Amino acid sequence: MKKTLPLFLFLLISGSCVAHTVNSSLTDSRPKLVVGIVVDQMRYDYLTRFASKFGEGGFMRLINEGFNCKNNHFNYVPTYTGPGHASVYTGTTPKYHGIISNNWYDKEIKSSVYCAQDDEVNSVGTESSAGKMSPQRMLTTSFADENRLFTQMRGKTIGIALKDRGAILPAGHTANTAYWFHGKDEGVWITSSYYRNDLPKWVSDFNSSDAVESYLKVWNTLLPVDTYVESGEDQNDFERGFKGKTTATFPYDLATLSTQNGGFDILKTTPFGNSITMDFALAALKGEALGQDDDTDVLAISFSSTDYVGHNFGVNSKEVEDTYIRLDKDLERLFIYLDNNIGKGEYTVFLTSDHGAVEVPAYLESVNIPAGYLDYNSRKALFQKFLMDTYGTTELVENVSNNQIFLNKVKLKELDLNIHDVEQALVDEQISYPNIAKVYTATTMNSTNFTTGIEVLLQNGYNQKRSGDVIVVDDIAHISYSKKGSTHGSGLNYDTHVPLLFFGAGIKQGETFDKTVIPDIAPTISALLGISFPNGSTGKPLGFVFD
């Protein structure tokens, strides 16, 4: 008589075989290198607006050969650089990773802190304090951290950006090194003693070359300026420009203008800042031998100049268009290098942004679209009068920043006031002010489970230990900024809708209009690598992008 295995034993054995096959497949397909690209302040529509000016080897290669998530959004407020970079790599929101803004009021030390600030470390590569930075304020791991743990620290992680926070937060806590650019009168790439106590030879060699200085040249449009029909007029009333030049129009003599615009720092506000970043990234790939063994390495690159140019000239400027046309060429340089030195099909790339940006409100007003500017001084005067009239003191409020009000808990106790009652009173007062759309209490954020609307984004950005007691939401397209240039930070589509492109090993060609969110990126890359998700991850792997 033929004997049959008990069902549970059959399933156990079968499951073991399947698991072995899947794991083997994952191991075999693991890329040698993951390159994460964050383009600072890149709205999604830049991909489509400037498409006719792109070549085939940069953005269009990612789109044509990779997977395009066309409805990708940030799912929290505020949409700033620090939180954005942290969220991309940790797979979660400020509620959990703790980077609630670029700067925020620390309720424990009663002072403002910077997201990458670390007074316990030293600068490396400069005598200035610009290197006193680390990821110590980020509370969770990044997928780069998890890859380091998975490979027993053999897989390398290098972070690179003009901005310190754009290099440090993506690279995570266990990075081999993060490098950022110190301009002024030095024009060098630096790091901190959090990572190492000296610069490796390849970095010193780069700094001692004329690579950076060579970009202090004339910035003119790469293509004839009259072909930039995707942007507004070159001369208009909505751009700041540079000190020493009366109009914000091409061309810009950077060598001459640098003396009044921060020395080498002027390069940040030109497309050449991105080119310098790419030059340095290519040097890092070679100097660190990234992608040259069986343990996956991670290179985190952030292109910061797009943000500086956007702030200075605005979303609709020819300067922004030229910056993206030139960035397209720089991306092509990167992909050619990776093809030749890592190998086609041996590396994986994703490209996204840390936030978008609003059109210059003054421009929107000029074409009859509701927009405007916030009068914080008037708002402050109204609020202080309310506090005096109601409570007899303004000391009840400890700090107002990042659209949040922080209450003085000692003063509340001294006046025998109930914090929940005071929170609600402040909500009722603030909602009556011009250009305030919504106001919420910390109690509401902590006790209500929102599922739709701006309230979900506020809740995802709210960290109970670090955020304020009252949260204010301003009117659509109303900003606190100069009337020239633009900014970001809201939970509206112009700030939340950003590109998400996957390309390379393990990625199929395709596109989707299904909604994806920024925290989905890290678990997707983790799933591709077969590693643990970042420890605070709340996103989901986007299985439909896999080949």
Side-chain angles (χ1 to χ4, degrees), residues 171-186:
H173 300 277
T174 61
N176 297 81
T177 327
Y179 297 103
W180 52 98
F181 185 71
H182 178 56
K184 298 187 177 180
D185 60 347
E186 295 186 62

Side-chain angles (χ1 to χ4, degrees), residues 33 35 57 61 202 278-292 299 301 329-344 346-347 349 503:
L33 176 69
V35 180
R61 183 177 178 190
W202 69 265
M278 185 58 77
D279 293 345
F280 189 74
L282 294 175
L285 282 162
K286 183 178 180 180
E288 297 289 343
L290 299 179
Q292 299 301 319
L299 176 62
I301 313 174
K329 302 294 184 185
D330 282 325
L331 290 174
E332 184 174 8
R333 281 203 289 149
L334 173 64
F335 301 148
I336 289 172
Y337 181 93
L338 295 175
D339 287 344
N340 292 338
N341 295 275
I342 310 300
K344 289 184 179 181
E346 298 290 344
Y347 63 90
V349 175
F503 164 77

Side-chain angles (χ1 to χ4, degrees), residues 89-319:
Y89 282 80
T90 64
T92 190
T93 69
K95 180 177 182 178
Y96 297 105
H97 63 57
I99 305 299
I100 62 171
S101 187
N102 292 335
N103 301 273
W104 65 86
Y105 180 71
D106 188 311
K107 293 184 278 191
E108 293 184 11
I109 65 173
K110 311 298 182 186
S111 178
S112 179
V113 296
Y114 174 61
C115 61
Q117 173 187 346
D118 190 342
D119 296 333
E120 301 303 313
V121 300
N122 298 314
S123 299
V124 175
T126 178
E127 295 298 317
S128 78
S129 62
K132 295 178 74 65
M133 305 288 169
S134 84
Q136 54 102 6
R137 283 194 164 85
M138 190 167 74
L139 303 175
T140 62
T141 62
S142 69
F143 78 77
D145 285 322
E146 297 299 336
N147 183 65
R148 291 273 286 160
L149 293 171
F150 182 86
T151 62
Q152 302 303 312
M153 301 295 172
R154 293 187 301 270
K156 288 186 176 182
T157 298
I158 304 292
I160 294 171
L162 295 181
K163 297 180 181 179
D164 48 52
R165 58 188 179 271
I168 290 168
L169 299 175
H173 300 277
T174 61
N176 297 81
T177 327
Y179 297 103
W180 52 98
F181 185 71
H182 178 56
K184 298 187 177 180
D185 60 347
E186 295 186 62
V188 293
W189 290 88
I190 65 172
T191 188
S192 90
S193 61
Y194 176 87
Y195 305 102
R196 54 185 302 145
N197 294 316
D198 57 0
L199 294 178
K201 183 177 184 300
W202 69 265
V203 177
S204 297
D205 288 347
F206 189 96
N207 285 340
S208 61
S209 73
D210 65 351
V212 172
E213 191 171 4
S214 68
Y215 287 107
L216 284 176
K217 58 186 179 180
V218 174
W219 174 23
N220 210 339
T221 54
L222 186 64
L223 307 176
V225 70
D226 58 5
T227 67
Y228 286 22
V229 295
E230 298 81 8
S231 305
E233 295 297 322
D234 191 23
Q235 185 161 355
N236 59 68
D237 295 328
F238 313 114
E239 303 173 5
R240 287 206 302 270
F242 295 112
K243 294 176 182 177
K245 193 173 191 301
T246 55
T247 60
T249 55
F250 286 104
Y252 299 96
D253 184 344
L254 302 180
T256 300
L257 293 171
S258 65
T259 58
Q260 297 183 58
N261 293 273
F264 287 108
D265 277 339
I266 194 174
L267 294 173
K268 297 177 181 178
T269 314
T270 75
F272 303 137
N274 289 334
S275 297
I276 293 166
T277 303
M278 185 58 77
D279 293 345
F280 189 74
L282 294 175
L285 282 162
K286 183 178 180 180
E288 297 289 343
L290 299 179
Q292 299 301 319
D293 57 30
D294 293 333
D295 292 304
T296 301
D297 297 324
V298 175
L299 176 62
I301 313 174
S302 179
F303 292 102
S304 309
S305 286
T306 42
D307 184 68
Y308 289 111
V309 174
H311 278 295
N312 195 357
F313 297 98
V315 167
N316 200 42
S317 65
K318 293 195 187 303
E319 287 81 359

